[in-house]
Amino acid sequence: MFDLRERLESPYRGQRVDLGPEGWLHVLPIPLHWFVYSLASPGFYRWINLTSNEILEGEGFLHQEKNWGKSFPPEWVWTEGYDPFQNITYAGTFGTLNFGPFLVPAMLFGYRNYKRGLSIDFRPDNSFVTKDLNPCKGLASVTIYSVRYTVYVNISAPQSTFETCLCGPNDYGFYPLVTESFVSTTRIQVKEHLTWWDSVYRSGAIIEDAVIQRVALEFGGAFMCDRNPCSKKTTCG
């Protein structure tokens, strides 16, 4: 039995609880939507083993989000983390979406440093990304380019922490198509471009350089390692 209680605080966009990472894009008829309400809400958990009566309980910080649409993408990376000591949090996903017979690159990424008041969001209408993924080694590197910023996101986790297969929705129901680690380490560097010269040549000063421990990193669909635990699992439930 699992009991989870959460105080919903720290909305993704301050007081605008109606806008998630998509911003205005949420009104478009795209095949999958992603809404994040909170990245760092305090919560309480209690886990009871009904066989041994063992109880594990404690407090922590939770994020709350939802997806809706036709199905999960054919391939994706998802990551999210929070450091309560630095008061820094982020969430992001990178992959492709099915638009009829076409695969279209898709991405959403948000970063918050509440101490500094730094809040930046990136979507397909204001930025683009390059990525280097090595799921068999638990590595993901993403660079985000916009007019004002370049953001470097480097994530790593021990490959042994991806040994559980999770289920996710596709066009035919829930299938084993996700591997995930919750002990990843993420380094995020934010470079700011203050002039048109900086924007063209991607020069400027690094205004943020943060390392966040024990974050989530998920490889899904075709982005999973070829040697993944889902290859041995055929059903969910």
Side-chain angles (χ1 to χ4, degrees):
M1 184 174 68
F2 187 69
D3 178 25
L4 178 65
R5 303 172 190 176
E6 181 179 8
R7 298 191 302 274
L8 295 179
E9 300 177 3
S10 304
Y12 182 81
R13 287 178 175 265
Q15 300 304 311
R16 288 297 306 275
V17 297
D18 58 324
L19 288 178
E22 293 184 43
W24 69 271
L25 297 179
H26 76 281
V27 303
L28 299 180
I30 58 179
L32 178 66
H33 291 277
W34 183 37
F35 178 83
V36 177
Y37 176 81
S38 172
L39 292 172
S41 288
F44 168 82
Y45 67 89
R46 174 181 290 171
W47 180 84
I48 302 175
N49 187 321
L50 298 179
T51 301
S52 65
N53 292 322
E54 179 187 11
I55 298 176
L56 298 175
E57 62 182 20
E59 296 181 348
F61 293 93
L62 313 173
H63 88 281
Q64 186 180 53
E65 65 176 52
K66 70 174 182 178
N67 296 101
W68 70 99
K70 293 183 178 180
S71 74
F72 269 23
E75 54 192 19
W76 76 91
V77 173
W78 172 86
T79 180
E80 184 270 340
Y82 175 59
D83 186 321
F85 302 103
Q86 301 181 83
N87 205 8
I88 289 173
T89 188
Y90 79 93
T93 186
F94 312 92
T96 58
L97 290 177
N98 280 319
F99 276 88
F102 304 104
L103 285 178
V104 178
M107 57 79 69
L108 294 167
F109 185 82
Y111 178 81
R112 305 285 186 270
N113 183 327
Y114 294 109
K115 286 185 178 180
R116 295 187 52 196
L118 180 62
S119 176
I120 49 179
D121 295 291
F122 303 95
R123 308 179 302 272
D125 64 311
N126 66 15
S127 57
F128 69 95
V129 304
T130 59
K131 55 185 180 291
D132 182 12
L133 307 178
N134 192 333
C136 294
K137 292 186 177 180
L139 301 175
S141 295
V142 177
T143 303
I144 306 168
Y145 304 91
S146 73
V147 173
R148 185 172 178 181
Y149 299 103
T150 299
V151 181
Y152 307 96
V153 184
N154 293 284
I155 316 169
S156 62
Q159 178 55 34
S160 60
T161 60
F162 292 91
E163 293 183 352
T164 299
C165 176
L166 305 177
C167 292
N170 64 12
D171 291 335
Y172 307 101
F174 279 81
Y175 279 81
L177 44 75
V178 181
T179 58
E180 187 169 349
S181 171
F182 294 99
V183 292
S184 306
T185 298
T186 298
R187 183 182 184 186
I188 298 176
Q189 296 173 292
V190 180
K191 180 187 291 184
E192 187 175 24
H193 312 302
L194 295 178
T195 67
W196 69 268
W197 180 274
D198 289 339
S199 295
V200 172
Y201 292 97
R202 315 314 297 176
S203 57
I206 298 291
I207 63 169
E208 192 85 355
D209 191 343
V211 175
I212 307 174
Q213 306 282 351
R214 302 176 70 181
V215 307
L217 174 61
E218 177 180 286
F219 294 102
F223 279 172
M224 289 191 296
C225 176
D226 294 336
R227 305 180 303 276
N228 68 78
C230 292
S231 61
K232 302 177 182 179
K233 186 175 181 179
T234 58
T235 61
C236 293

